[in-house]
Amino acid sequence: MSGLDVQPLTEGRNFGVRIRGITLEQTQDPAIRDEVNALFDKHGVIVFSDVEPSPRMHVALSDIFGPLKDHPSKAVARVDQDSMPGVIDMAMKPGEPGDIDVDGVTLASWLPWHFDHAYNNELNRAGVLRAIDIPPEGGRTGFVDGIDLYNALSPELREKIEDRNILYRMNVYMANYRFGAPAGYRVHSEKPSSDIVMEESRDVPRAVHPAVWTRTTGEKVLHVSPWMAEGIEGDETPEGEALLEAVSREIVELSKDLAYWHQWSPTDMLIWDNWRALHAVSGHPPKYGRRMQRTTIKGDYGLGYFEGGASNDNKIVERTY
């Protein structure tokens, strides 16, 4: 045995484990790499606590899980690509545009439940996050297991959504967020980078992903991203929209009990399974800043495609490292 300190994130739950104190040297040990990958496949989220808070540790941890892939949008800020290829930098400075009202509270950096790259035909395997600047209030990142969501979904909705495919488009204008929006949802302003992202994705066709898929281990996963969803393939009708809204609304409600919300420390890094989990950001008071860095692990589950049989040439350009 490797002697890794492994504990559940939530007692009595399979979703998520915490590994304390893994070292840079251990990330290069083949036996430890195999053990960590097995834990990831089984549990879907790993929080690495008490690790060296450095760019080299971020990249070394990410390398355990596979090659890195650049973010598909050129408008997303990058860290120095010579020293940290594939690392994106997500910073919100105090007072920047982008504030949103959620349940009567004005927040910066709030994001709804989603999976990454839903707007492409390929889905990256995972993301690895670390916090650089942590606001003293809020700023948590939430994760919910699609296996848990499928099992908890009402039987009526489960039957209706089981064999449906969902249409997605790169749409970062938060005013366009439609399905499962919280009470009192109001966008004060869009982020400055949103116009660039929308322009570069203007001619990309919509992507299609199954609402439910089955893992090789047999579990069914409810994998609907309320953010960037545009409708149900072949059923863009009032009835289809009502079904997608009902499923999205239930995801939001179920997540209140099922989600794990991570309160960040500078010595934390975290990986989540993008084929299995949804994630969200709680937001924080606009008077504070927040800065995160992320790597993306290449991979694809092989079930997505572009609407109308559009070719892979239509995808938003990506690079692998």
Side-chain angles (χ1 to χ4, degrees):
M1 296 294 291
S2 65
L4 289 175
D5 181 355
V6 182
Q7 301 293 331
L9 282 181
T10 306
E11 287 296 335
R13 296 275 303 280
N14 180 67
F15 183 58
V17 294
R18 184 185 304 274
I19 299 177
R20 294 187 183 276
I22 192 171
T23 66
L24 188 64
E25 181 180 13
Q26 286 177 311
T27 66
Q28 308 305 307
D29 184 316
I32 289 179
R33 291 166 71 92
D34 288 346
E35 181 180 352
V36 171
N37 267 295
L39 288 167
F40 181 57
D41 287 340
K42 182 177 181 180
H43 298 287
V45 167
I46 300 177
V47 175
F48 296 96
S49 297
D50 304 324
V51 299
E52 176 186 307
S54 70
R56 65 174 184 169
M57 187 63 178
H58 191 176
V59 172
L61 269 180
S62 303
D63 181 67
I64 292 175
F65 303 97
L68 303 189
K69 183 178 80 171
D70 196 13
H71 191 278
S73 173
K74 296 178 183 178
V76 175
R78 268 72 170 173
V79 178
D80 179 6
Q81 296 291 37
D82 292 329
S83 62
M84 290 185 66
V87 182
I88 63 172
D89 194 69
M90 301 172 289
M92 171 66 78
K93 297 178 181 178
E96 280 190 344
D99 293 351
I100 296 173
D101 284 352
V102 178
D103 295 325
V105 179
T106 301
L107 298 168
S109 297
W110 180 87
L111 286 178
W113 291 107
H114 66 286
F115 57 83
D116 285 339
H117 298 187
Y119 45 79
N120 270 336
N121 60 335
E122 297 178 2
L123 291 187
N124 61 285
R125 179 71 179 93
V128 182
L129 269 180
R130 76 182 186 110
I132 309 298
D133 294 328
I134 304 168
E137 301 174 38
R140 298 182 301 159
T141 308
F143 301 89
V144 65
D145 187 6
I147 298 172
D148 289 343
L149 287 173
Y150 178 83
N151 291 330
L153 193 67
S154 68
E156 180 184 3
L157 283 180
R158 190 188 304 143
E159 181 179 359
K160 289 180 178 179
I161 202 67
E162 181 96 34
D163 298 317
R164 302 297 191 101
N165 295 321
I166 310 301
L167 296 158
Y168 298 98
R169 188 188 299 280
M170 169 75 98
N171 193 335
V172 293
Y173 286 146
M174 298 307 296
N176 292 341
Y177 169 49
R178 297 170 57 196
F179 296 103
Y185 183 75
R186 174 173 172 261
V187 177
H188 290 263
S189 58
E190 302 286 357
K191 294 180 180 178
S193 61
S194 295
D195 289 342
I196 302 172
V197 175
M198 295 296 285
E199 176 59 28
E200 69 182 12
S201 62
R202 179 168 51 87
D203 297 325
V204 178
R206 294 187 294 185
V208 187
H209 293 280
V212 176
W213 73 283
T214 305
R215 285 161 43 98
T216 57
T217 44
E219 305 98 333
K220 289 193 173 184
V221 179
L222 178 64
H223 205 232
V224 174
S225 174
W227 190 30
M228 301 196 187
E230 291 213 332
I232 296 176
E233 184 185 38
D235 193 10
E236 292 184 84
T237 63
E239 294 77 15
E241 292 208 349
L243 174 58
L244 185 52
E245 171 65 18
V247 171
S248 298
R249 182 69 56 193
E250 190 147 342
I251 286 172
V252 172
E253 289 302 311
L254 290 171
S255 297
K256 292 177 181 178
D257 293 324
L258 296 176
Y260 166 76
W261 286 92
H262 187 67
Q263 183 64 57
W264 287 97
S265 163
T267 56
D268 291 341
M269 296 184 193
L270 184 154
I271 184 169
W272 73 95
D273 184 340
N274 191 50
W275 304 343
R276 169 177 173 176
L278 302 181
H279 60 285
V281 182
S282 70
H284 62 271
K287 63 182 178 180
Y288 301 122
R290 183 175 186 262
R291 183 184 177 200
M292 308 291 291
Q293 290 183 350
R294 195 191 84 190
T295 57
T296 302
I297 310 301
K298 181 177 174 59
D300 186 31
Y301 72 158
L303 300 176
Y305 53 91
F306 283 121
E307 187 179 23
S311 73
N312 215 39
D313 295 338
N314 291 279
K315 71 192 292 184
I316 299 171
V317 176
E318 304 174 29
R319 295 191 300 275
T320 302
Y321 293 94

